[in-house]
Amino acid sequence: MPRLESPLHKGRFFILIGFLFGFWLILEANLFRFQVVNHDKLSAYARSQYESEIELDAQRGTIYDRSGNKLATNIIYYDIAADPQLIKNKQFVAKTLANSFPRSEQHYLNRMRNNGPRFRYLERKTQKSKVSPLLEIDDPGLIRVENFGRYYPYGSYAAQLLGFTDPDDHGLSGLELQYEDALAGVNGKAILQYDATRKVAFNADYPMLKPIPGSSLRLTIDKDIQTVVEKALQSGVDENKAKSGIAVVMDPFTGAVVAMANYPGFNPNTHKKYSEWVKKNRAVTDAFEPGSTLKMFSAAAILQERKHKPQDIVFCENGRYKIYDHYIKDTKPHAWLSFQKVIEKSSNIGMIKLIDNVPSPVLYRYLKNFGFGSETGIGLLGESEGFLAAPSSWSGLSRAEISIGQEIGVTAVQITSAFCSLINGGYLYKPFIVSQVFDVKKDNWETIGKPEKVRQIISPEVGDILKGFMREVVREGTGVKARVANVETGGKTGTAQKFDRTQNRYLRGKYVASFIGFAPYDKPRYVVGVFLDEPQKHIYGGDAAGPVFSEVIEKIIHFDYDLPVAPKNKESNLIYAEKVKSIPRLTGAEIRNVVDYLEDKDFDVEVAGKGLFVGGTSVTDDKITIKSLNDKVENEIMPDLKGLTIRQALTLVDFSKLNVEINGNGKIYRQSITPGSKINSKKTVVLSLK
């Protein structure tokens, strides 16, 4: 009898077939989803496990002065970062970082928590001397990136002009921001490939795009002249207890700016430590009433229009003169003065009476032609055009007030540039400060700034008369403190009470003291404008700003050896800004103290070895290399401590050889043991501070 097939078995068969078919459909659907629908996404994810695309930073262009000195350059910095998921010894890394930087261990531990992104910066733009212990740590999660960072070798000099960059080397202010596109260059790209042990190599299947370096700039600034101006301006501000100061030096026959200084200043290498106010280039951004320096332009209009001759006399009312219901005063009473004496003695009343013959529209036209009320065209960011109202809005007093430097606002660059036209034959030049850009593609320098005449305003004959007026200002008038030994100069003083436009009134006891002059008289080479804001000791321009002009000219005139006033030899006791300054003897001092001391003074420091004490130092270009030793070397030579603070000095003193006595406060200006003397037995050194 044949065996009957169980319907139950037959049902199981179809169930199995159905299950396998369904499984196959699901598998195919998933394969379709993985290989077609999500192919690009999953491929990218897979590549991210063994490949990484990185950007290769382009080296930023250099900024040079006119002689080729580097004012802004690049040095190697390190960025320290971590992958929280790969780092093995977070505690050790955090402790090492805390020993080198002014942050707590907990700060770094918080940065290395597992939640969040895989790449986190711990410190940025740090010098090798500070990260050297971290470079030796073998930890797969600790990332050390070596790259270029911006560096300003001369510290605060011309800082407001140059500006500064952010940690990624993007310009934030000054020329760094203005020429960002040219300086930045074009970043490159490379593909890194990881093997199973997480070792990294370039992926040969992808070509590496090399970065294109940024273009460089050449300025009209002269580093040595800038040094002189910065130091003289600082001295003038400090001596007169002023709020701030500005100084501008220009070539009157080209419009080139050879120095531009603002004080107080800041160090762009550590710009975050400073307020935003000190970072402004006030030489172009701040407008102020000029006071009596503007009388030279009123005088130019009078002479060019032939309204008066230099020998014409005017009665100066013995120092007090009423116009409508307003009294005009002179600082000293005068009776009859010639036109020349009005300038020499800076009589407000005399100038107001002389300008009375010049119609308001004519005076306005001359002032506009000299560049007032308009941007100079120097092309610096934030430049103010000042202010000069049209005659249609002038009051009955306006012509008189404007002729003596009130009811008009100027910038330091604007009025210094205008002064150049008084002594160069009457031509207004467009001031410029960037002369060339290096074209990376063409591999040559391209001129973008050159002498450019805007217009002729006065005749050479009128200019010669005005030069004579200004010579007498320095010889016998209000500018006698601007005299320079063996050099004949000319100039004009200015003292302007500050006007608050928000309150619409003049501020009691607050002035801008200025002096603008030129030298040498026969062949003018430089025009120098000095402006001190709110001086306290001396408020008059001749007393406060005149000596600054004198100091600047006395020193920079010796740079021109073809001039008869220059010395026969080129020796000078001037100390100019240098990239690497002289350093005291450091042998035997502790490494950590020496590194802190040198980095405080903006040195680029590299430590060779792992020792605790200084065995010797060497200086090459912009960098100091310290040879370290584990055993202390006896230093039997007295270090030079002059110019240091006590904190700095004490880090360099060997207390086993010296007892220290301190007199005064401030910085060390005298030490009782001569630097370089041998110390064979324990001695006492007396340090005098002021």
Side-chain angles (χ1 to χ4, degrees):
M1 181 176 184
R3 187 177 179 181
L4 297 174
E5 184 177 353
S6 171
L8 182 61
H9 289 172
K10 189 175 182 180
R12 287 177 178 176
F13 174 76
F14 284 115
I15 290 173
L16 178 61
I17 293 297
F19 174 78
L20 292 175
F21 182 73
F23 178 77
W24 178 81
L25 286 176
I26 293 172
L27 181 63
E28 287 297 316
N30 276 287
L31 288 173
F32 181 80
R33 181 166 61 89
F34 289 144
Q35 294 181 350
V36 179
V37 177
N38 293 328
H39 175 270
D40 293 341
K41 179 180 178 181
L42 294 173
S43 295
Y45 178 76
R47 281 197 303 272
S48 70
Q49 302 301 302
Y50 63 87
E51 284 186 354
S52 176
E53 181 178 299
I54 63 169
E55 198 168 49
L56 303 177
D57 291 338
Q59 186 170 342
R60 195 171 179 83
T62 301
I63 301 178
Y64 298 93
D65 82 339
R66 66 181 184 180
S67 299
N69 296 295
K70 294 179 180 179
L71 302 180
T73 185
N74 307 288
I75 62 174
I76 292 177
Y77 284 108
Y78 288 86
D79 288 339
I80 306 299
D83 182 337
Q85 295 184 27
L86 291 179
I87 199 160
K88 292 180 178 179
N89 196 335
K90 296 179 181 179
Q91 195 73 41
F92 179 70
V93 170
K95 184 176 181 180
T96 305
L97 283 162
N99 288 336
S100 299
F101 299 94
R103 304 181 195 267
S104 66
E105 289 185 38
Q106 191 59 48
H107 167 81
Y108 297 111
L109 288 172
N110 291 338
R111 294 288 297 163
M112 290 185 281
R113 285 179 178 170
N114 285 332
N115 59 319
R118 296 283 301 270
F119 183 93
R120 298 181 195 172
Y121 283 113
L122 302 177
E123 289 291 344
R124 302 206 63 186
K125 293 193 73 172
T126 61
Q127 296 185 2
K128 187 176 181 180
S129 59
K130 285 197 172 186
V131 300
S132 53
L134 295 160
L135 299 179
E136 299 173 9
I137 296 176
D138 185 14
D139 194 310
L142 185 62
I143 303 166
R144 288 141 290 199
V145 182
E146 182 180 291
N147 50 36
F148 286 102
R150 208 56 165 166
Y151 181 65
Y152 303 89
Y154 302 111
S156 62
Y157 289 171
Q160 289 89 350
L161 171 64
L162 296 173
F164 50 87
T165 62
D166 65 13
D168 294 315
D169 272 352
H170 300 139
L172 292 180
S173 74
L175 294 174
E176 295 278 26
L177 174 59
Q178 184 172 350
Y179 287 88
E180 169 66 17
D181 291 343
L183 290 166
V186 180
N187 288 345
K189 185 175 68 173
I191 304 295
L192 298 180
Q193 188 165 2
Y194 299 87
D195 62 17
T197 61
R198 299 298 290 173
K199 290 183 179 179
V200 180
F202 284 105
N203 190 334
D205 294 333
Y206 297 93
M208 182 174 66
L209 298 178
K210 293 184 179 181
I212 301 173
S215 299
S216 294
L217 304 180
R218 177 168 287 145
L219 309 184
T220 58
I221 295 294
D222 184 288
K223 183 262 295 183
D224 289 340
I225 294 179
Q226 183 75 26
T227 300
V228 170
V229 173
E230 296 263 4
K231 291 181 177 179
L233 182 63
Q234 178 179 353
S235 177
V237 170
D238 292 345
E239 170 68 21
N240 291 282
K241 299 179 180 178
K243 177 182 177 182
S244 63
I246 303 168
V248 179
V249 182
M250 292 184 65
D251 181 336
F253 291 94
T254 66
V257 178
V258 295
M260 180 180 289
N262 294 265
Y263 183 80
F266 71 101
N267 188 336
N269 294 305
T270 55
H271 63 87
K272 290 183 179 179
K273 297 180 180 179
Y274 301 86
S275 68
E276 292 303 313
W277 179 78
V278 301
K279 299 174 186 177
K280 287 176 57 181
N281 187 0
R282 298 183 298 279
V284 296
T285 62
D286 289 11
F288 53 89
E289 290 192 352
S292 293
T293 51
L294 199 92
K295 290 174 183 172
M296 295 311 307
F297 304 100
S298 301
I302 293 169
L303 291 169
Q304 192 64 46
E305 291 297 306
R306 299 182 181 179
K307 299 298 183 180
H308 287 285
K309 297 178 181 178
Q311 61 270 26
D312 288 354
I313 60 174
V314 59
F315 184 58
C316 295
E317 305 290 340
N318 293 311
R320 186 177 174 88
Y321 181 52
K322 185 177 182 180
I323 305 179
Y324 299 107
D325 58 349
H326 185 78
Y327 282 96
I328 304 295
K329 298 178 182 178
D330 283 339
T331 54
K332 293 181 180 179
H334 301 288
W336 290 93
L337 292 178
S338 68
F339 190 172
Q340 176 176 305
K341 288 290 183 181
V342 166
I343 299 296
E344 180 184 316
K345 303 299 181 183
S346 200
S347 169
N348 292 332
I349 297 170
M351 178 52 65
I352 287 171
K353 286 193 167 185
L354 289 167
I355 204 69
D356 196 48
N357 289 332
V358 178
S360 295
V362 174
L363 175 61
Y364 174 79
R365 172 166 52 84
Y366 272 91
L367 295 178
K368 287 296 288 185
N369 284 341
F370 278 115
F372 299 118
S374 305
E375 292 185 9
T376 64
I378 193 172
L380 295 178
L381 293 176
E383 183 184 9
S384 169
E385 62 182 17
F387 52 90
L388 174 61
S392 58
S393 63
W394 289 9
S395 69
L397 281 171
S398 291
R399 180 176 54 178
E401 296 277 13
I402 291 171
S403 73
I404 60 174
Q406 297 179 349
E407 290 191 33
I408 180 174
V410 304
T411 66
V413 164
Q414 192 181 63
I415 194 168
T416 304
S417 175
F419 244 84
C420 292
S421 64
L422 301 179
I423 63 168
N424 67 10
Y427 294 96
L428 180 69
Y429 280 86
K430 176 182 175 181
F432 66 101
I433 207 160
V434 180
S435 60
Q436 292 180 308
V437 172
F438 185 76
D439 190 320
V440 178
K441 294 180 180 178
K442 296 180 181 178
D443 195 30
N444 63 6
W445 287 95
E446 178 184 350
T447 298
I448 63 170
K450 57 185 178 181
E452 182 180 336
K453 289 180 181 178
V454 179
R455 66 182 72 90
Q456 185 172 15
I457 310 163
I458 58 174
S459 67
E461 293 75 20
V462 168
D464 287 341
I465 296 172
L466 295 171
K467 283 177 61 181
F469 284 3
M470 289 188 278
R471 176 172 57 185
E472 295 308 310
V473 169
V474 177
R475 280 181 173 179
E476 304 291 339
T478 56
V480 292
K481 291 186 179 180
R483 292 174 181 168
V484 180
N486 302 319
V487 182
E488 192 166 46
T489 66
K492 184 68 186 77
T493 59
T495 307
Q497 191 171 7
K498 293 181 70 173
F499 186 79
D500 188 335
R501 294 195 165 274
T502 60
Q503 302 181 46
N504 200 33
R505 67 181 181 87
Y506 284 95
L507 302 175
R508 183 183 298 273
K510 296 191 176 187
Y511 298 87
V512 174
S514 60
F515 185 89
I516 311 175
F518 64 93
Y521 181 83
D522 291 330
K523 296 180 179 179
R525 184 63 182 271
Y526 303 109
V527 169
V528 181
V530 180
F531 312 86
L532 302 185
D533 187 21
E534 297 184 18
Q536 302 299 311
K537 184 176 180 180
H538 300 294
I539 65 169
Y540 295 114
D543 296 331
V548 178
F549 167 86
S550 177
E551 182 179 347
V552 169
I553 290 298
E554 181 182 20
K555 292 177 179 177
I556 70 174
I557 207 72
H558 299 314
F559 297 160
D560 302 295
Y561 300 105
D562 58 323
L563 299 176
V565 295
K568 293 183 180 179
N569 60 69
K570 297 189 179 184
E571 294 181 2
S572 172
N573 60 359
L574 294 177
I575 300 175
Y576 305 114
E578 295 295 341
K579 296 175 186 174
V580 177
K581 295 79 85 176
S582 61
I583 59 174
R585 185 180 176 88
L586 302 170
T587 304
E590 291 187 35
I591 290 286
R592 59 186 178 88
N593 290 336
V594 168
V595 170
D596 287 344
Y597 161 71
L598 293 174
E599 288 187 346
D600 280 348
K601 299 178 79 64
D602 296 320
F603 287 98
D604 181 16
V605 184
E606 181 174 340
V607 179
K610 303 178 183 179
L612 301 176
F613 301 98
V614 176
T617 58
S618 62
V619 180
T620 56
D621 195 17
D622 297 333
K623 184 172 66 177
I624 295 178
T625 302
I626 300 174
K627 179 183 178 182
S628 66
L629 298 174
N630 283 320
D631 297 323
K632 185 173 182 179
V633 178
E634 293 296 326
N635 185 5
E636 298 180 349
I637 303 297
M638 180 67 204
D640 185 357
L641 305 176
K642 292 191 292 293
L644 305 183
T645 64
I646 281 296
R647 182 182 67 82
Q648 292 170 335
L650 294 182
T651 64
L652 307 178
V653 169
D654 185 349
F655 288 100
S656 67
K657 299 283 187 181
L658 293 169
N659 293 319
V660 179
E661 291 184 8
I662 301 170
N663 294 327
N665 295 296
K667 291 187 177 181
I668 300 167
Y669 73 94
R670 184 188 302 151
Q671 59 187 79
S672 60
I673 300 178
T674 304
S677 303
K678 287 190 175 182
I679 308 172
N680 297 320
S681 59
K682 193 155 188 174
K683 296 182 179 180
T684 298
V685 59
V686 180
L687 303 179
S688 302
L689 288 70
K690 67 176 181 179

